[in-house]
Amino acid sequence: RAAYLDFGDVPPVVLGQFRRTYILAEEHNELVIVDQHAADERVIFNRLMEQSSDPRTHPLLQPVPLELSPVERTALAAERERLTAVGFDIEPFGGDSWILRGVPEVLGVGRGLDVLMRALASEESECAASAAHDACARIMARVACHAAVTAGVTLTIERMNEVLRSLWETANPSTCPH
């Protein structure tokens, strides 16, 4: 029987992971299957949106110089204002170089650079193709998509619980941003 999940106050109990893609959980003797990427993407997107009026940037201890291709430079220049609004601290550094001085606090230090570069390189990625029409929400959706845990990643029970707990706290837990 098909049923829609009623997102109550308490997330379901994690049972495990299926094919390193889905979180299996139980709620009221029912099996709940959650796409780990879509769930984590929703959580990150909501956190970015919540901070959009006052983005929190985590300064890098050592700024990262970026040597960019002409296409990457054009994309970065076009998106710089929106990336700043999300929490990236990035600026031209002369010639073909830019320098990354900070990343959104939501991402944590270890994921900022790769997320930035993948988000810039994938303007029309599957995750961003039908994202929100607002330009700032669209960049947040791209950043969230590339920062989220992906299929094929083994999660610990603790990480699965964290994803579900955070998902249950969001305003719109039943869909990803796109």
Side-chain angles (χ1 to χ4, degrees):
R1 106 187 137 103
Y4 292 96
L5 183 61
D6 178 22
F7 289 88
D9 294 333
V10 179
V13 176
V14 171
L15 300 173
Q17 188 180 33
F18 181 68
R19 296 195 176 179
R20 297 183 310 168
T21 301
Y22 300 99
I23 298 171
L24 303 179
E26 179 184 4
E27 183 174 57
H28 307 298
N29 292 324
E30 298 282 334
L31 179 64
V32 178
I33 302 172
V34 178
D35 180 313
Q36 66 191 33
H37 174 73
D40 200 33
E41 183 178 345
R42 168 51 67 187
V43 168
I44 294 168
F45 178 78
N46 278 32
R47 287 178 181 164
L48 289 169
M49 290 296 286
E50 288 168 5
Q51 295 178 11
S52 65
S53 62
D54 184 24
R56 293 182 219 142
T57 300
H58 183 85
L60 300 176
L61 291 176
Q62 188 165 20
V64 178
L66 305 172
E67 292 297 323
L68 304 174
S69 71
V71 171
E72 291 169 331
R73 276 194 316 278
T74 301
L76 185 54
E79 296 289 4
R80 182 177 178 206
E81 187 175 317
R82 286 181 279 278
L83 288 165
T84 299
V86 172
F88 284 99
D89 180 3
I90 189 162
E91 60 189 48
F93 196 58
D96 297 339
S97 299
W98 284 63
I99 191 158
L100 179 64
R101 297 185 185 281
V103 298
E105 193 176 84
V106 168
L107 302 182
V109 178
R111 297 178 3 197
L113 178 60
D114 64 325
V115 169
L116 169 66
M117 299 314 294
R118 286 184 290 154
L120 287 174
S122 65
E123 172 69 30
E124 297 303 323
S125 75
E126 179 183 335
C127 289
S130 60
H133 298 295
D134 173 82
C136 202
R138 192 169 51 250
I139 192 74
M140 287 184 200
R142 287 200 328 252
V143 168
C145 179
H146 294 292
V149 65
T150 59
V153 173
T154 301
L155 301 179
T156 64
I157 293 291
E158 292 80 19
R159 179 68 173 114
M160 287 184 268
N161 277 313
E162 176 189 334
V163 168
L164 292 186
R165 183 184 54 13
S166 298
L167 180 65
W168 256 245
E169 293 171 356
T170 65
N172 190 3
S174 62
T175 63
C176 67
H178 61 275

